[in-house]
Amino acid sequence: MPDRIEARHRWPGEPVKAIVQDAYGEPEGLELRDIDEPTVADGEVLVRVRAAAVNIGDWHLMRGIPYATRAIFGLRRPRRRVPGLDLAGRVEAVGANVEELQPGDEVFGWCQGAFAECTGLEATMEPKVIKVGGANYGAVQRADQLGRESLDCR
């Protein structure tokens, strides 16, 4: 598997590159493949991924452990073929009923399917509001979320 996927020009509707997982197991089971570009539904945005972080949640979902989680994420194989939870990127398109984000907005946040060039997700991404270098945004999201939740607890 390559250490890094280089950015490339892509035409709308053209297949996107993604890390794909067909079965639970070791990282060697992950493959770089072409997949169809995600569609954008109402209340969703299409984000071109600039950076994605690998965290403990990704590891658990890749391995399918603890086994009880398979009841939610797929018994014999993952329901979602593209792993990845944290990302940073740029909004490419917005679905109907999305007012807070527009194409061109730089965002970071949590999603499912971050290990792809583009991913479609609910419009709950946070605008980038802190000064961190581009590739580091993907890793910042989980810590940022934890910090906000800690401050909200009273």
Side-chain angles (χ1 to χ4, degrees):
M1 184 172 4
D3 292 335
R4 184 178 189 92
I5 300 173
E6 295 298 324
R8 66 184 178 96
H9 178 74
R10 197 183 58 71
W11 298 101
E14 181 182 343
V16 298
K17 299 279 185 196
I19 301 296
V20 177
Q21 175 183 7
D22 291 323
Y24 293 117
E26 301 294 326
E28 291 78 17
L30 302 174
E31 293 182 15
L32 178 63
R33 294 191 206 153
D34 285 338
I35 62 170
D36 292 336
E37 179 180 66
T39 57
V40 181
D42 288 353
E44 292 185 343
V45 295
L46 180 68
V47 175
R48 177 179 292 269
V49 178
R50 293 233 175 125
V54 178
N55 63 51
I56 193 70
D58 298 308
W59 183 84
H60 282 294
L61 291 175
M62 177 189 67
R63 301 284 307 257
I65 56 175
Y67 292 112
T69 62
R70 292 185 183 198
I72 298 167
F73 297 108
L75 291 176
R76 298 180 189 264
R77 63 182 170 274
R79 284 193 180 112
R80 294 189 179 266
R81 296 177 51 220
V82 179
L85 298 173
D86 297 320
L87 68 78
R90 178 184 302 247
V91 175
E92 294 280 309
V94 298
N97 303 319
V98 176
E99 298 174 3
E100 57 277 358
L101 295 171
Q102 297 185 18
D105 286 351
E106 296 282 333
V107 294
F108 74 101
W110 182 87
C111 72
Q112 293 184 350
F115 297 168
E117 286 180 306
C118 289
T119 188
L121 50 128
E122 291 181 24
T124 57
M125 302 294 288
E126 295 285 334
K128 291 183 184 175
V129 294
I130 55 176
K131 301 238 183 237
V132 176
N136 295 323
Y137 276 115
V140 167
Q141 196 282 329
R142 184 70 60 210
D144 174 66
Q145 178 185 11
L146 219 58
R148 287 179 193 216
E149 288 174 1
S150 296
L151 291 173
D152 287 342
C153 294
R154 292 179 173 74

